[in-house]
Amino acid sequence: MTETLRITDLHVSVEGKPILHGVNLKMTRGETHALMGPNGSGKSTLGMAIMGHPKYEVTQGAITLNDANILEMAPNERARAGLFMAFQRPVAIPGVKMADFLRHATTNVRNPERKEGEDLIPMREFRKELRSRMEQLSIDPEFARRYVNDGFSGGEMKRAEILQLAMLQPKFAILDETDSGLDADAVRLASLSIADIGGADMGLLIITHHDKLLEHNRPDYTHVMLGGRIVETGNGVELANELHDHGYDRIRGAYPDAAANNEAMEKPEQTESAS
Amino acid sequence: MTGIAATAGFNSAAFDAFLQNRAEPDWLQKMRQDSWDAFCQMDWPARNSEEWQRTDIRLFKLDRFALPASPPVATDLPASLLSAGVELAGEAVSLDSYGVRSHLANKWREKGVLFGPLDELVHQHGDLVRKHLFARAANPHYDKFAALHGACWSGGHLLYVPRNVVVDEPLLSMSALSDGGVDLGHTLVILEEGAEATLLSEKTSREESAGGLHCGALEVLQGAGSRLRFVHLQNWGKGVWHFAHQKAILERNASLQWTAAALGSRLSKVNQHVDLAGPGAECDVNGVMFTEGKQHLSYHTQQRHMAPGCRSNFLYKSALQGASRTVWRGMIRVDKDAQQTNGYQRNDNLLLSDSCRADSIPGLQIEADDVRCTHGSTSGRVDEELIFYACCRGYTRQEAIRAIVIGFFQQVFDRITIESVREALGQAIARRVQDYE
């Protein structure tokens, strides 16, 4: 069966402020999509809305996963239905060990009907699987005993996200700037890792500013977001390469309304960072 | 079922009968009488005193309770949480101020270790007990509760470890209460020079909703270079009034790891003090409080540096549910001679409901000039971003909050070096996390 994540005319507001103005995107499992766009264009907002962050209010439109209405599901139900997002800025959960966190997460995602308090995956079995995944990703075994993202370097956080992706094996995964803050070697490793753990069997939505992360995950489609809409979609990686080499000037020129929207979105961020 | 109501109230007639029944050494009887006189003369703590202004005891009525007059029938005592699956060196259990059973393995007995009910051991080891009981750590004239305890203490346990004896298995001291019962236990821990021990202390009621009164004291006296690991779990029923004075005195290079977990009681008022009396002494004191309903737990801690080169580290964490309230008032005192002091205190509170309240009052009193003392305090709710992150990994909201709360306490548990205790406390906490929304 073909599995499909479909986003139709999606409008999203944050604290009453509209960010997305009608996003349309259809992904089939097994495809890789690159999502590019300047800062403030709404890429992360799309990810948050798909996962169901309570602050991101869907005011119009639909998200469906194989005909199931995702918008009616709580975030944990979405995760159990097979959706995943690697966070751009993962939060730390002090006192909760990576291994314990993942054991619980993996149990829930693999047994979507699991009720609270029911048994977790047996410890021994889980540890074995986790260890082999960590080995595959060249992650220090000590990682499992550390607290979730607590005191992690930027690179460690991103690797932890990939480890979670590997364990949870979602149907569709959004990778929100999994390459940001990493040096060239680390990005290459991340790109390889995503391919290694079966990225090709998932539907991948890779949000990125660069083309390196795409090296081992060749996109079937590249989308450009501007001012809260997907304004252009191209086959393969060509569009991604063009944007990486030449920036967004052409896109801005071609879609002046969206560009104006984008500028309005970007401005508050700039004043904030300037102050 | 309870054997405590034979004599009504805490009046002079009852006290005289209590004293007569006990056939104790003269010095002890005199000590009790002095304390009783002090108790009769003192008023209950004033509401506007610094210590009591946040802790309202107007609903506490001492005459609803009575002196322990006859041994209770000890049936179906609650199981110990802290020592499940642990090989113990010894165990002493009391119920409603009466010793129920005690045991110490022969190998430790042969080395001169004493462990059992204080009221029994005082008969055979009067000189030892007399030297330490209410001598330095506990002060029966501190306030009316302390005086009541000084006069009427009964139950509780003595642990004595002779010089250079290392007891490498934990000892369990357990005090249980029947509904409406009274526990006036006094615990005396004496570690001679170079001695080592691990003491697990547990206070529990037969039923979770049970009422009762605990008016107790703990004295810990550590000789030079001694090491004590002490875990204290207050898990009384939800109707118990808990008043306690606890103090440890550490001589040169002694070290103390003290973990106090408070889950039970209706109202608790605890003074927990550590005196670093000899150079190079050090202590790590960890507190965990988890409250719900209308519980009120108040901890007044003091880490007093009296000698140079000592280190103290106090970490208290509370999570509050319902309309419960915690008060933490911490003080680092550094005497004039205590140079090169390293003192730290911290209190973090996690507010899990709209109507709970945590008061956090750190304080410093420093007379020396070459010291390093720091303190910190935080209070806040569970971060929604953490909940969302965990939910994106398949956790229900409830599971996410539970994990975050347990993680919040983990920093304290990480400092407990006994695995079974770590697990038992973690599980006890996990059971307490209620449903939200």
Side-chain angles (χ1 to χ4, degrees):
Chain A
M1 183 189 106
T2 330
E3 302 204 67
T4 310
L5 178 66
R6 192 189 297 269
I7 295 154
T8 313
D9 190 30
L10 190 70
H11 289 65
V12 173
S13 293
V14 179
E15 286 162 356
K17 189 174 148 192
I19 311 276
L20 299 188
H21 304 274
V23 173
N24 292 289
L25 179 67
K26 184 193 153 201
M27 292 175 68
T28 301
R29 187 169 178 179
E31 290 174 351
T32 296
H33 293 236
L35 180 62
M36 304 185 76
N39 285 336
S41 56
K43 307 183 297 293
S44 293
T45 296
L46 178 61
M48 289 294 196
I50 294 172
M51 295 312 294
H53 192 296
K55 271 193 194 156
Y56 293 72
E57 190 199 348
V58 174
T59 53
Q60 193 181 316
I63 308 177
T64 56
L65 174 61
N66 308 332
D67 300 330
N69 182 358
I70 287 296
L71 296 178
E72 282 178 356
M73 298 183 185
N76 88 87
E77 294 168 328
R78 301 182 193 202
R80 295 180 196 210
L83 298 181
F84 178 92
M85 178 164 75
F87 282 61
Q88 188 181 349
R89 292 184 203 85
V91 291
I93 310 183
V96 178
K97 287 195 181 84
M98 241 2 244
D100 296 334
F101 182 71
L102 267 175
R103 182 174 167 224
H104 199 141
T106 308
T107 306
N108 280 5
V109 168
R110 287 188 192 162
N111 314 293
E113 303 302 318
R114 177 181 175 268
K115 300 275 179 296
E116 277 172 36
E118 288 178 12
D119 286 349
L120 298 175
I121 300 170
M123 184 69 93
R124 184 186 293 257
E125 186 185 312
F126 178 76
R127 277 200 183 137
K128 204 174 144 201
E129 184 184 342
L130 182 63
R131 210 176 300 128
S132 92
R133 276 301 186 191
M134 291 173 75
E135 214 166 280
Q136 185 186 13
L137 295 171
S138 306
I139 292 175
D140 183 352
E142 184 56 34
F143 219 68
R145 286 185 283 271
R146 290 174 67 187
Y147 296 149
V148 178
N149 298 323
D150 196 21
F152 284 23
S153 69
E156 286 174 329
M157 277 194 201
K158 297 302 167 81
R159 298 178 63 63
E161 294 292 290
I162 295 173
L163 176 62
Q164 298 188 45
L165 173 68
M167 292 302 295
L168 299 178
Q169 292 289 320
K171 294 173 178 166
F172 291 92
I174 305 147
L175 309 182
D176 190 359
E177 298 198 18
T178 299
D179 50 359
S180 68
L182 302 185
D183 61 34
D185 287 344
V187 174
R188 194 163 297 122
L189 179 61
S191 178
L192 260 174
S193 301
I194 292 162
D196 266 358
I197 58 164
D201 299 330
M202 306 171 192
L204 290 181
L205 183 63
I206 301 181
I207 301 174
T208 181
H209 286 292
H210 311 287
D211 52 3
K212 279 277 175 292
L213 195 59
L214 306 174
E215 194 173 299
H216 298 279
N217 309 280
R218 305 281 294 178
D220 301 291
Y221 303 95
T222 300
H223 311 277
V224 189
M225 219 167 173
L226 188 69
R229 286 192 294 129
I230 290 177
V231 292
E232 219 167 88
T233 293
N235 286 330
V237 77
E238 270 167 49
L239 184 54
N241 290 340
E242 180 217 315
L243 296 171
H244 182 249
D245 293 344
H246 302 293
Y248 294 99
D249 284 354
R250 179 184 68 75
I251 298 285
R252 285 199 180 93
Y255 308 96
D257 291 356
N261 250 338
N262 208 93
E263 219 165 292
M265 298 307 309
E266 229 176 324
K267 263 190 185 136
E269 265 180 55
Q270 278 172 349
T271 46
E272 220 169 274
S273 58
S275 65
Chain B
M1 146 95 257
T2 59
I4 42 176
T7 314
F10 283 84
N11 53 42
S12 289
F15 177 72
D16 290 343
F18 169 81
L19 216 52
Q20 289 236 310
N21 275 338
R22 294 185 68 87
E24 288 168 335
D26 289 347
W27 64 267
L28 184 51
Q29 295 256 307
K30 184 178 177 303
M31 191 182 262
R32 288 187 185 279
Q33 187 64 57
D34 285 350
S35 296
W36 180 259
D37 294 344
F39 167 76
C40 293
Q41 280 161 23
M42 280 185 198
D43 290 324
W44 293 107
R47 284 205 74 205
N48 57 5
S49 71
E50 171 59 33
E51 237 191 278
W52 292 88
Q53 60 179 341
R54 293 174 182 81
T55 301
D56 187 351
I57 51 166
R58 279 176 298 177
L59 290 176
F60 170 67
K61 303 283 182 249
L62 184 62
D63 56 17
R64 300 219 176 121
F65 300 98
L67 271 163
S70 62
V73 183
T75 51
D76 60 300
L77 285 171
S80 156
L81 290 178
L82 292 181
S83 68
V86 177
E87 187 78 23
L88 291 171
E91 177 189 32
V93 180
S94 71
L95 171 64
D96 299 331
S97 286
Y98 280 88
V100 171
R101 62 172 189 266
S102 79
H103 166 78
L104 175 65
N106 271 336
K107 61 176 170 179
W108 302 117
R109 203 186 293 269
E110 283 159 9
K111 289 191 169 152
V113 176
L114 303 175
F115 184 60
L118 180 61
D119 355 31
E120 281 174 30
L121 289 166
V122 72
H123 291 289
Q124 301 137 40
H125 305 276
D127 289 347
L128 173 76
V129 173
R130 185 179 188 178
K131 196 173 142 197
H132 297 286
L133 185 71
F134 294 110
R136 295 172 65 206
N139 173 10
H141 295 273
Y142 182 82
D143 63 15
K144 198 172 177 79
F145 289 104
L148 176 65
H149 173 79
C152 305
W153 69 266
S154 50
H157 303 119
L158 167 71
L159 169 64
Y160 169 77
V161 185
R163 204 173 157 200
N164 292 332
V165 172
V166 176
V167 184
D168 57 6
E169 293 163 336
L171 297 132
L172 174 69
S173 157
M174 190 150 164
S175 303
L177 268 180
S178 304
D179 190 12
V182 173
D183 179 87
L184 297 163
H186 189 97
T187 300
L188 180 58
V189 179
I190 305 161
L191 264 58
E192 300 279 20
E193 196 177 325
E196 291 186 24
T198 298
L199 180 61
L200 311 177
S201 167
E202 203 167 326
K203 304 206 177 307
T204 183
S205 290
R206 285 175 139 166
E207 301 98 24
E208 212 183 304
S209 60
L213 167 65
H214 169 80
C215 180
L218 163 76
E219 300 186 271
V220 175
L221 302 146
Q222 288 190 240
S226 64
R227 303 170 68 84
L228 177 66
R229 295 192 297 180
F230 182 47
V231 181
H232 185 266
L233 170 62
Q234 186 272 93
N235 200 18
W236 296 129
K238 293 291 161 46
V240 172
W241 300 88
H242 177 87
F243 304 100
H245 288 91
Q246 308 172 340
K247 187 164 182 173
I249 301 178
L250 278 61
E251 299 301 340
R252 177 185 292 269
N253 295 332
S255 97
L256 169 64
Q257 269 181 43
W258 183 351
T259 302
L263 302 177
S265 85
R266 161 188 186 154
L267 178 144
S268 279
K269 167 70 173 58
V270 177
N271 290 46
Q272 188 185 16
H273 292 194
V274 176
D275 280 1
L276 299 133
E282 51 181 47
C283 65
D284 291 293
V285 179
N286 304 306
V288 168
M289 287 183 254
F290 200 165
T291 56
E292 60 189 15
K294 289 184 175 174
Q295 283 185 289
H296 177 114
L297 301 189
S298 171
Y299 268 75
H300 289 232
T301 70
Q302 176 172 282
Q303 54 214 100
R304 182 172 176 193
H305 288 252
M306 305 166 75
C310 294
R311 184 183 67 79
S312 66
N313 185 337
F314 277 50
L315 172 64
Y316 276 77
K317 289 195 168 226
S318 348
L320 298 89
Q321 305 184 126
S324 64
R325 184 171 175 192
T326 60
V327 178
W328 175 81
R329 185 168 180 269
M331 178 64 72
I332 304 181
R333 266 184 75 179
V334 181
D335 292 359
K336 209 168 164 214
D337 296 333
Q339 302 294 1
Q340 282 96 47
T341 281
N342 186 349
Y344 181 74
Q345 62 177 356
R346 183 176 181 90
N347 172 226
D348 295 320
N349 301 300
L350 197 52
L351 310 173
L352 298 172
S353 71
D354 292 330
S355 45
C356 61
R357 174 176 160 184
D359 293 355
S360 182
I361 312 135
L364 300 172
Q365 251 178 43
I366 300 174
E367 287 174 29
D369 51 22
D370 179 15
V371 301
R372 190 164 166 266
C373 290
T374 39
H375 58 197
S377 140
T378 63
S379 289
R381 308 179 147 280
V382 179
D383 189 338
E384 285 293 332
E385 296 302 322
L386 270 60
I387 297 173
F388 176 66
Y389 184 79
C391 289
C392 283
R393 301 298 182 246
Y395 280 68
T396 64
R397 184 179 172 80
Q398 175 66 21
E399 288 172 329
I401 291 173
R402 199 181 292 268
I404 293 163
V405 172
I406 293 165
F408 170 77
F409 287 118
Q410 190 61 42
Q411 194 186 352
V412 171
F413 298 153
D414 281 347
R415 293 163 61 150
I416 302 172
T417 47
I418 311 154
E419 195 184 345
S420 60
V421 170
R422 230 171 21 228
E423 277 172 18
L425 288 180
Q427 283 164 14
I429 293 276
R431 275 197 295 275
R432 294 286 295 266
V433 187
Q434 291 168 346
D435 293 344
Y436 297 91
E437 295 176 56

